[in-house]
Amino acid sequence: MHIDEIKNGLVLDHIKAGKSMKIYNYLELDKLDCVVAIIKNVSSKKMGKKDIIKIDAEIEVDVDILGYIDPGITVDVIKDGKLVEKRHLELPEKVCNVIHCKNPRCITSTEQGLQQMFKLTDKANGIYRCIYCESKAKHGSLL
Amino acid sequence: MKNLISILDLSLEEIDELIATANDIIENPVKYSEKCHGKKMATLFFEPSTRTRLSFEAAMYELGGNVLGFSEANSSSASKGESVADTVKVVSYYADIITMRHPKEGAPLVASMNATVPIINAGDGGHNHPTQTLTDLLTIKREMGRFDNLTIGLCGDLKFGRTVHSLVQAMMRYNNVKFVMISPDELKIPEYLKQELIDAGVEFTETTDLEKAMPELDILYMTRVQRERFFNEADYIRLKDSYILTSEKLLAAKADMRVLHPLPRVNEISLDVDDDIRAAYFRQACNGKYIRMALILKLLGVE
């Protein structure tokens, strides 16, 4: 199957096979009117199978969300058909309105207009805690 | 320091400073009797807690200040659905400092993000209660004269007891402190806290037997084992007496050991223990007022 090379834009590579639609939704790529290709189950030496998303426009993606969802994803920046930058992601220190606190006793369950904020408290195990009630959301709970 | 939301907001130096001020207040109460003249403290108690509220109010009055507020959510605008953020924005215009108790965890943090005056967390659900921990620390310092080289027994409900969790987190920062966790299997300390102790290399043991643990303890921190925490009635009946402290059980304890309890007590310490010099829980309640005075002074920036 052939998918056109992109000229100026981004390639999100090394997405776990089958997870590309989730990432498409979290990054709200449906709002773009440029060409977006979702390629599923591509053979990969490293991963066996992987997904790739190609975006044919120079946009800024929220690398914090992406890093939280899967720090193994790489972001390739393409300019004039050439790879000019390969960004490796990390777990972000804080994520805003990505994870929702499930603790019914947390103030986020009642207070209007309060942002859902989680902070990384244990990098080795990827554990995030609600900044208000300190309830745990294990990393990767979105996928 | 602008607010007190969690005990971990305080460095060891800040805790030392608060304790030194509290001790000075105890020695020289007259010196402090007008320190907060003209200042107002708002006590926003969205759920009732007579003991904590009275302790804060007494503290402010003894500093020469005034107090306004409410003691249950029904008598506040929260019953009309006002947010915590809006409430404290408004109260910031009326008071110089706000003390808040709220049933929702994290409410005082939200308050501190929106108020223009200092916020003191007076308990947020089962989450934090830092002024209780400061009270416990002042009591340990006054009774034992030190924070290091102590073996601390924690007895009762170690799973849900927030005062126990905060005390462990505060005391594990000192040198050569050992913990003995005494509880039924159903009410052991949570895994995350155990992991914190292991990561920090702090020595602790777990046991179900209060009497066996007694001889090695420098401090015994008692909490109540509540009936509703048990899975079945038979277990509750089997275990409830083993976690009741009696003067007979105290015979095995060190002569200079101290018994602490955050109060209110129901039946977990029998009345005959009260007369023992080692029973420090009423002195502890008294200390609660003095440490809150020290905290109010610190947060208001009063020298």
Side-chain angles (χ1 to χ4, degrees):
Chain A
M1 195 170 83
H2 182 74
I3 291 168
D4 284 342
E5 294 290 318
I6 55 175
K7 260 230 133 68
N8 292 296
L10 298 174
V11 177
L12 311 184
D13 202 353
H14 303 108
I15 300 169
K16 279 185 195 136
K19 302 300 181 191
S20 49
M21 273 316 287
K22 289 233 177 189
I23 286 164
Y24 180 89
N25 290 331
Y26 274 111
L27 295 178
E28 300 181 324
L29 299 182
D30 56 321
K31 291 183 180 158
L32 299 176
D33 39 5
C34 64
V35 175
V36 177
I38 296 172
I39 314 162
K40 289 182 64 171
N41 300 325
V42 181
S43 307
S44 159
K45 275 185 202 150
K46 216 165 47 175
M47 305 170 71
K49 274 182 183 178
K50 66 178 180 179
D51 287 4
I52 299 172
I53 298 177
K54 292 187 173 189
I55 304 161
D56 196 15
E58 292 176 75
I59 59 154
E60 280 298 315
V61 295
D62 188 336
V63 286
D64 278 356
I65 292 187
L66 219 46
Y68 174 74
I69 296 173
D70 182 356
I73 294 172
T74 49
V75 180
D76 298 339
V77 183
I78 312 290
K79 280 212 170 116
D80 298 325
K82 285 185 184 143
L83 175 66
V84 293
E85 193 190 344
K86 209 173 186 68
R87 286 188 207 155
H88 291 275
L89 304 179
E90 295 188 340
L91 288 176
E93 286 300 317
K94 266 192 184 174
V95 285
C96 181
N97 292 333
V98 177
I99 321 165
H100 285 255
C101 188
K102 293 196 171 76
N103 174 8
R105 297 177 308 276
C106 179
I107 186 67
T108 53
S109 67
T110 51
E111 182 86 356
Q112 323 150 23
L114 194 58
Q115 292 192 321
Q116 295 271 352
M117 297 283 285
F118 277 70
K119 65 177 177 213
L120 181 62
T121 54
D122 178 350
K123 205 169 180 178
N125 297 306
I127 290 169
Y128 283 81
R129 287 184 185 275
C130 172
I131 66 159
Y132 304 103
C133 71
E134 295 176 87
S135 290
K136 189 160 73 171
K138 200 161 166 32
H139 165 61
S141 59
L142 291 183
L143 286 183
Chain B
M1 180 171 75
K2 192 180 168 284
N3 307 290
L4 180 62
I5 306 300
S6 151
I7 191 69
L8 297 176
D9 294 346
L10 297 174
S11 66
L12 297 185
E13 291 73 29
E14 285 171 321
I15 288 174
D16 283 347
E17 204 183 307
L18 287 171
I19 286 175
T21 308
N23 278 324
D24 195 48
I25 296 170
I26 294 168
E27 302 294 321
N28 309 290
V30 179
K31 192 170 115 190
Y32 291 89
S33 63
E34 291 297 323
K35 288 275 186 194
C36 287
H37 180 75
K39 302 274 187 196
K40 285 169 288 178
M41 179 174 73
T43 50
L44 310 185
F45 276 58
F46 292 88
E47 70 177 3
S49 168
T50 314
R51 193 177 313 271
T52 305
R53 185 171 56 84
L54 292 186
S55 172
F56 270 108
E57 294 187 358
M60 192 57 175
Y61 284 125
E62 288 197 24
L63 291 166
N66 284 300
V67 176
L68 61 161
F70 53 85
S71 55
E72 51 176 335
N74 285 343
S75 54
S76 81
S77 51
S79 61
K80 297 174 197 154
E82 192 184 37
S83 66
V84 170
D86 283 6
T87 304
V88 299
K89 273 180 200 163
V90 172
V91 175
S92 291
Y93 295 122
Y94 306 149
D96 302 288
I97 187 166
I98 295 172
T99 297
M100 174 185 279
R101 167 162 298 207
H102 201 287
K104 290 286 180 186
E105 298 172 8
L109 179 63
V110 173
S112 71
M113 292 165 156
N114 290 280
T116 52
V117 299
I119 299 284
I120 301 174
N121 181 2
D124 56 337
H127 186 214
N128 282 319
H129 192 5
T131 59
Q132 178 63 53
T133 310
L134 284 174
T135 302
D136 299 341
L137 293 176
L138 176 60
T139 306
I140 291 171
K141 188 74 172 188
R142 287 185 66 80
E143 299 285 335
M144 308 304 293
R146 65 182 193 276
F147 285 133
D148 42 14
N149 304 312
L150 290 171
T151 300
I152 302 173
L154 303 156
C155 178
D157 179 355
L158 308 186
K159 186 174 182 183
F160 298 99
R162 66 182 168 193
T163 57
V164 167
H165 303 164
S166 305
L167 185 62
V168 169
Q169 286 175 322
M171 288 303 296
M172 65 184 272
R173 301 195 280 178
Y174 295 97
N175 290 328
N176 195 25
V177 169
K178 284 194 282 185
F179 295 97
V180 184
M181 315 292 187
I182 308 154
S183 74
D185 286 334
E186 293 88 339
L187 298 174
K188 284 177 160 181
I189 62 155
E191 281 304 319
Y192 82 89
L193 206 51
K194 254 191 251 182
Q195 195 57 49
E196 278 182 35
L197 290 169
I198 293 167
D199 291 346
V202 177
E203 199 182 325
F204 70 98
T205 52
E206 292 185 279
T207 174
T208 54
D209 195 332
L210 172 61
E211 282 174 81
K212 250 190 207 156
M214 193 72 84
E216 61 171 315
L217 304 179
D218 298 306
I219 290 165
L220 173 59
Y221 196 92
M222 293 292 297
T223 63
R224 188 151 54 98
V225 174
Q226 287 166 294
R227 182 184 292 250
E228 57 270 26
R229 301 291 192 209
F230 280 86
F231 297 119
N232 65 62
E233 186 74 9
D235 279 349
Y236 174 74
I237 291 170
R238 179 171 57 84
L239 289 166
K240 70 179 169 73
D241 288 345
S242 29
Y243 301 101
I244 291 178
L245 182 65
T246 59
S247 49
E248 202 184 346
K249 285 182 192 157
L250 262 186
L251 289 174
K254 288 182 185 172
D256 63 348
M257 187 260 247
R258 289 292 181 267
V259 182
L260 274 65
H261 189 301
L263 301 181
R265 151 183 67 178
V266 179
N267 62 350
E268 58 277 17
I269 301 176
S270 58
L271 296 178
D272 57 1
V273 174
D274 294 0
D275 297 329
D276 194 305
I277 184 71
R278 290 170 289 191
Y281 31 90
F282 289 113
R283 298 194 289 277
Q284 184 183 358
C286 178
N287 290 335
K289 180 182 71 181
Y290 294 115
I291 199 74
R292 288 180 175 102
M293 289 170 78
L295 180 65
I296 292 167
L297 289 172
K298 167 106 180 159
L299 290 176
L300 285 176
V302 176
E303 290 295 316

